[in-house]
PDB file of all heavy atoms in Angstrom:
ATOM      1  N   ILE B 298      -1.737   1.386  24.746  1.00 94.00           N
ATOM      2  CA  ILE B 298      -2.701   2.444  25.065  1.00 94.00           C
ATOM      3  C   ILE B 298      -3.269   2.334  26.462  1.00 94.00           C
ATOM      4  O   ILE B 298      -3.455   3.288  27.210  1.00 94.00           O
ATOM      5  CB  ILE B 298      -3.771   2.458  24.012  1.00 94.00           C
ATOM      6  CG1 ILE B 298      -3.167   2.864  22.629  1.00 94.00           C
ATOM      7  CG2 ILE B 298      -4.944   3.311  24.362  1.00 94.00           C
ATOM      8  CD1 ILE B 298      -4.118   2.710  21.432  1.00 94.00           C
ATOM      9  N   LEU B 299      -3.559   1.082  26.872  1.00 94.00           N
ATOM     10  CA  LEU B 299      -4.050   0.891  28.280  1.00 94.00           C
ATOM     11  C   LEU B 299      -3.097   1.283  29.246  1.00 94.00           C
ATOM     12  O   LEU B 299      -3.396   1.940  30.263  1.00 94.00           O
ATOM     13  CB  LEU B 299      -4.463  -0.561  28.369  1.00 94.00           C
ATOM     14  CG  LEU B 299      -5.778  -1.087  27.803  1.00 94.00           C
ATOM     15  CD1 LEU B 299      -6.059  -2.510  28.179  1.00 94.00           C
ATOM     16  CD2 LEU B 299      -6.932  -0.163  28.330  1.00 94.00           C
ATOM     17  N   ALA B 300      -1.757   1.035  29.015  1.00 94.00           N
ATOM     18  CA  ALA B 300      -0.776   1.390  30.043  1.00 94.00           C
ATOM     19  C   ALA B 300      -0.689   2.853  30.092  1.00 94.00           C
ATOM     20  O   ALA B 300      -0.640   3.423  31.174  1.00 94.00           O
ATOM     21  CB  ALA B 300       0.646   0.780  29.527  1.00 94.00           C
ATOM     22  N   GLY B 301      -0.732   3.541  28.902  1.00 92.00           N
ATOM     23  CA  GLY B 301      -0.742   5.023  28.953  1.00 92.00           C
ATOM     24  C   GLY B 301      -1.905   5.608  29.719  1.00 92.00           C
ATOM     25  O   GLY B 301      -1.692   6.543  30.481  1.00 92.00           O
ATOM     26  N   LEU B 302      -3.091   5.002  29.511  1.00 92.00           N
ATOM     27  CA  LEU B 302      -4.255   5.525  30.089  1.00 92.00           C
ATOM     28  C   LEU B 302      -4.113   5.350  31.643  1.00 92.00           C
ATOM     29  O   LEU B 302      -4.604   6.152  32.473  1.00 92.00           O
ATOM     30  CB  LEU B 302      -5.503   4.833  29.594  1.00 92.00           C
ATOM     31  CG  LEU B 302      -5.920   5.262  28.217  1.00 92.00           C
ATOM     32  CD1 LEU B 302      -7.167   4.540  27.800  1.00 92.00           C
ATOM     33  CD2 LEU B 302      -6.157   6.762  28.200  1.00 92.00           C
ATOM     34  N   LEU B 303      -3.623   4.199  32.002  1.00 92.00           N
ATOM     35  CA  LEU B 303      -3.492   3.831  33.454  1.00 92.00           C
ATOM     36  C   LEU B 303      -2.550   4.827  34.146  1.00 92.00           C
ATOM     37  O   LEU B 303      -2.868   5.352  35.189  1.00 92.00           O
ATOM     38  CB  LEU B 303      -2.828   2.433  33.628  1.00 92.00           C
ATOM     39  CG  LEU B 303      -3.361   1.546  34.754  1.00 92.00           C
ATOM     40  CD1 LEU B 303      -4.860   1.366  34.554  1.00 92.00           C
ATOM     41  CD2 LEU B 303      -2.617   0.331  34.839  1.00 92.00           C
ATOM     42  N   VAL B 304      -1.407   5.185  33.491  1.00 90.00           N
ATOM     43  CA  VAL B 304      -0.507   6.176  33.893  1.00 90.00           C
ATOM     44  C   VAL B 304      -1.302   7.527  34.172  1.00 90.00           C
ATOM     45  O   VAL B 304      -1.181   8.142  35.197  1.00 90.00           O
ATOM     46  CB  VAL B 304       0.680   6.336  33.056  1.00 90.00           C
ATOM     47  CG1 VAL B 304       1.460   7.638  33.475  1.00 90.00           C
ATOM     48  CG2 VAL B 304       1.617   5.098  33.047  1.00 90.00           C
ATOM     49  N   TYR B 305      -2.041   7.825  33.207  1.00 89.00           N
ATOM     50  CA  TYR B 305      -2.831   9.076  33.263  1.00 89.00           C
ATOM     51  C   TYR B 305      -3.807   9.043  34.480  1.00 89.00           C
ATOM     52  O   TYR B 305      -3.844   9.974  35.304  1.00 89.00           O
ATOM     53  CB  TYR B 305      -3.588   9.356  31.960  1.00 89.00           C
ATOM     54  CG  TYR B 305      -4.703  10.392  32.153  1.00 89.00           C
ATOM     55  CD1 TYR B 305      -4.350  11.737  32.121  1.00 89.00           C
ATOM     56  CD2 TYR B 305      -6.009   9.976  32.219  1.00 89.00           C
ATOM     57  CE1 TYR B 305      -5.397  12.677  32.269  1.00 89.00           C
ATOM     58  CE2 TYR B 305      -7.044  10.883  32.307  1.00 89.00           C
ATOM     59  CZ  TYR B 305      -6.669  12.243  32.351  1.00 89.00           C
ATOM     60  OH  TYR B 305      -7.641  13.177  32.492  1.00 89.00           O
ATOM     61  N   LEU B 306      -4.566   7.959  34.561  1.00 88.00           N
ATOM     62  CA  LEU B 306      -5.541   7.862  35.633  1.00 88.00           C
ATOM     63  C   LEU B 306      -4.934   7.928  37.015  1.00 88.00           C
ATOM     64  O   LEU B 306      -5.422   8.610  37.944  1.00 88.00           O
ATOM     65  CB  LEU B 306      -6.335   6.544  35.453  1.00 88.00           C
ATOM     66  CG  LEU B 306      -7.345   6.621  34.286  1.00 88.00           C
ATOM     67  CD1 LEU B 306      -7.989   5.244  34.095  1.00 88.00           C
ATOM     68  CD2 LEU B 306      -8.421   7.704  34.494  1.00 88.00           C
ATOM     69  N   VAL B 307      -3.829   7.185  37.194  1.00 87.00           N
ATOM     70  CA  VAL B 307      -3.200   7.013  38.492  1.00 87.00           C
ATOM     71  C   VAL B 307      -2.441   8.359  38.839  1.00 87.00           C
ATOM     72  O   VAL B 307      -2.555   8.889  39.865  1.00 87.00           O
ATOM     73  CB  VAL B 307      -2.333   5.822  38.636  1.00 87.00           C
ATOM     74  CG1 VAL B 307      -1.522   5.801  39.869  1.00 87.00           C
ATOM     75  CG2 VAL B 307      -3.191   4.566  38.494  1.00 87.00           C
ATOM     76  N   ALA B 308      -1.527   8.738  37.858  1.00 83.00           N
ATOM     77  CA  ALA B 308      -0.638   9.765  38.181  1.00 83.00           C
ATOM     78  C   ALA B 308      -1.137  11.196  38.027  1.00 83.00           C
ATOM     79  O   ALA B 308      -0.676  12.111  38.664  1.00 83.00           O
ATOM     80  CB  ALA B 308       0.671   9.528  37.357  1.00 83.00           C
ATOM     81  N   TRP B 309      -2.130  11.329  37.178  1.00 79.00           N
ATOM     82  CA  TRP B 309      -2.561  12.659  36.860  1.00 79.00           C
ATOM     83  C   TRP B 309      -3.975  12.948  37.419  1.00 79.00           C
ATOM     84  O   TRP B 309      -4.136  13.934  38.135  1.00 79.00           O
ATOM     85  CB  TRP B 309      -2.487  12.851  35.335  1.00 79.00           C
ATOM     86  CG  TRP B 309      -2.990  14.165  34.804  1.00 79.00           C
ATOM     87  CD1 TRP B 309      -4.199  14.504  34.514  1.00 79.00           C
ATOM     88  CD2 TRP B 309      -2.136  15.334  34.596  1.00 79.00           C
ATOM     89  NE1 TRP B 309      -4.203  15.868  34.121  1.00 79.00           N
ATOM     90  CE2 TRP B 309      -2.984  16.418  34.236  1.00 79.00           C
ATOM     91  CE3 TRP B 309      -0.801  15.607  34.802  1.00 79.00           C
ATOM     92  CZ2 TRP B 309      -2.572  17.666  33.910  1.00 79.00           C
ATOM     93  CZ3 TRP B 309      -0.390  16.885  34.523  1.00 79.00           C
ATOM     94  CH2 TRP B 309      -1.272  17.927  34.050  1.00 79.00           C
ATOM     95  N   GLN B 310      -4.958  12.113  37.016  1.00 76.00           N
ATOM     96  CA  GLN B 310      -6.284  12.519  37.351  1.00 76.00           C
ATOM     97  C   GLN B 310      -6.538  12.448  38.832  1.00 76.00           C
ATOM     98  O   GLN B 310      -7.259  13.222  39.391  1.00 76.00           O
ATOM     99  CB  GLN B 310      -7.281  11.565  36.575  1.00 76.00           C
ATOM    100  CG  GLN B 310      -8.589  12.312  36.385  1.00 76.00           C
ATOM    101  CD  GLN B 310      -9.601  11.465  35.637  1.00 76.00           C
ATOM    102  OE1 GLN B 310      -9.700  10.267  35.834  1.00 76.00           O
ATOM    103  NE2 GLN B 310     -10.375  12.094  34.847  1.00 76.00           N
ATOM    104  N   ARG B 311      -5.884  11.445  39.531  1.00 75.00           N
ATOM    105  CA  ARG B 311      -6.105  11.380  40.954  1.00 75.00           C
ATOM    106  C   ARG B 311      -5.637  12.698  41.685  1.00 75.00           C
ATOM    107  O   ARG B 311      -6.206  13.164  42.576  1.00 75.00           O
ATOM    108  CB  ARG B 311      -5.544  10.124  41.536  1.00 75.00           C
ATOM    109  CG  ARG B 311      -6.564   9.048  41.658  1.00 75.00           C
ATOM    110  CD  ARG B 311      -5.978   7.732  42.050  1.00 75.00           C
ATOM    111  NE  ARG B 311      -5.241   7.779  43.320  1.00 75.00           N
ATOM    112  CZ  ARG B 311      -4.513   6.813  43.730  1.00 75.00           C
ATOM    113  NH1 ARG B 311      -4.407   5.718  43.005  1.00 75.00           N
ATOM    114  NH2 ARG B 311      -3.839   6.827  44.863  1.00 75.00           N
ATOM    115  N   ARG B 312      -4.451  13.054  41.189  1.00 72.00           N
ATOM    116  CA  ARG B 312      -3.858  14.331  41.765  1.00 72.00           C
ATOM    117  C   ARG B 312      -4.769  15.436  41.431  1.00 72.00           C
ATOM    118  O   ARG B 312      -4.929  16.404  42.301  1.00 72.00           O
ATOM    119  CB  ARG B 312      -2.432  14.570  41.239  1.00 72.00           C
ATOM    120  CG  ARG B 312      -1.428  13.547  41.783  1.00 72.00           C
ATOM    121  CD  ARG B 312      -0.279  14.299  42.433  1.00 72.00           C
ATOM    122  NE  ARG B 312       0.388  15.217  41.496  1.00 72.00           N
ATOM    123  CZ  ARG B 312       1.408  14.899  40.694  1.00 72.00           C
ATOM    124  NH1 ARG B 312       1.793  13.615  40.583  1.00 72.00           N
ATOM    125  NH2 ARG B 312       1.914  15.825  39.925  1.00 72.00           N
ATOM    126  N   MET B 313      -5.318  15.475  40.184  1.00 68.00           N
ATOM    127  CA  MET B 313      -6.092  16.587  39.776  1.00 68.00           C
ATOM    128  C   MET B 313      -7.342  16.790  40.675  1.00 68.00           C
ATOM    129  O   MET B 313      -7.598  17.939  41.156  1.00 68.00           O
ATOM    130  CB  MET B 313      -6.646  16.376  38.392  1.00 68.00           C
ATOM    131  CG  MET B 313      -5.595  16.659  37.303  1.00 68.00           C
ATOM    132  SD  MET B 313      -4.651  18.113  37.590  1.00 68.00           S
ATOM    133  CE  MET B 313      -5.881  19.359  37.638  1.00 68.00           C
ATOM    134  N   THR B 314      -7.990  15.628  41.027  1.00 59.00           N
ATOM    135  CA  THR B 314      -9.215  15.789  41.810  1.00 59.00           C
ATOM    136  C   THR B 314      -8.857  16.400  43.221  1.00 59.00           C
ATOM    137  O   THR B 314      -9.615  17.188  43.715  1.00 59.00           O
ATOM    138  CB  THR B 314      -9.933  14.467  42.026  1.00 59.00           C
ATOM    139  OG1 THR B 314      -8.952  13.434  41.883  1.00 59.00           O
ATOM    140  CG2 THR B 314     -10.884  14.304  40.879  1.00 59.00           C
ATOM    141  N   GLU B 315      -7.643  15.997  43.714  1.00 52.00           N
ATOM    142  CA  GLU B 315      -7.256  16.571  44.968  1.00 52.00           C
ATOM    143  C   GLU B 315      -7.091  18.158  44.875  1.00 52.00           C
ATOM    144  O   GLU B 315      -7.538  18.827  45.683  1.00 52.00           O
ATOM    145  CB  GLU B 315      -5.933  15.950  45.409  1.00 52.00           C
ATOM    146  CG  GLU B 315      -6.128  14.639  46.137  1.00 52.00           C
ATOM    147  CD  GLU B 315      -4.895  13.785  46.146  1.00 52.00           C
ATOM    148  OE1 GLU B 315      -3.811  14.394  46.116  1.00 52.00           O
ATOM    149  OE2 GLU B 315      -5.004  12.596  46.191  1.00 52.00           O
ATOM    150  N   VAL B 316      -6.449  18.524  43.743  1.00 51.00           N
ATOM    151  CA  VAL B 316      -6.258  19.975  43.570  1.00 51.00           C
ATOM    152  C   VAL B 316      -7.645  20.697  43.516  1.00 51.00           C
ATOM    153  O   VAL B 316      -7.849  21.645  44.107  1.00 51.00           O
ATOM    154  CB  VAL B 316      -5.477  20.237  42.311  1.00 51.00           C
ATOM    155  CG1 VAL B 316      -5.550  21.705  41.945  1.00 51.00           C
ATOM    156  CG2 VAL B 316      -4.068  19.750  42.414  1.00 51.00           C
TER     157      VAL B 316
END
Side-chain angles (χ1 to χ4, degrees):
Chain B
I298 291 173
L299 281 182
L302 286 182
L303 216 63
V304 168
Y305 164 76
L306 288 174
V307 172
W309 178 270
Q310 208 181 33
R311 263 173 59 190
R312 288 233 306 271
M313 281 320 298
T314 30
E315 279 162 24
V316 170

